[in-house]
Amino acid sequence: EVRVMVKYDRLWVTMKKKHMTQYCLIKYYGVSAGQIGRLKHNKYVSTHTLEMLCSILDCSVEEIMEIIPEKVEPIIPLRY
């Protein structure tokens, strides 16, 4: 089984390149402080939020997030 971890470290890099602050996202674009908090902690956010961020920052989704697969061993060993 493979689990997937989503990381938003690229978002902060892209925001810095585009001179965008968390304050501006909240105050001028209506992004909730809760969503910012979820992104900071690499928690689930909706595809709507990702689309909105890409639109605001004029970037692709790859510039704000990264998917890292994590291999998980089965609880019961598989027999081949």
Side-chain angles (χ1 to χ4, degrees):
E1 176 185 349
V2 176
R3 278 192 280 182
V4 174
M5 178 177 179
V6 176
K7 292 184 75 174
Y8 296 102
D9 296 343
R10 293 177 181 181
L11 170 63
W12 316 115
V13 173
T14 299
M15 284 176 59
K16 188 170 185 166
K17 283 183 193 171
K18 307 248 179 184
H19 307 287
M20 179 65 67
T21 64
Q22 293 174 40
Y23 176 81
C24 284
L25 286 177
I26 294 166
K27 176 94 174 159
Y28 302 111
Y29 292 98
V31 178
S32 74
Q35 288 294 68
I36 298 291
R38 296 184 70 71
L39 290 160
K40 282 183 180 178
H41 294 99
N42 297 312
K43 298 208 172 174
Y44 171 81
V45 294
S46 70
T47 53
H48 170 77
T49 299
L50 297 175
E51 284 179 55
M52 182 174 57
L53 290 168
C54 287
S55 178
I56 292 167
L57 296 169
D58 189 28
C59 68
S60 68
V61 73
E62 292 85 6
E63 292 175 90
I64 62 172
M65 67 181 281
E66 173 181 18
I67 297 175
I68 302 166
E70 297 178 345
K71 186 167 176 152
V72 178
E73 296 299 323
I75 296 170
I76 300 170
L78 299 174
R79 295 183 185 174
Y80 295 98

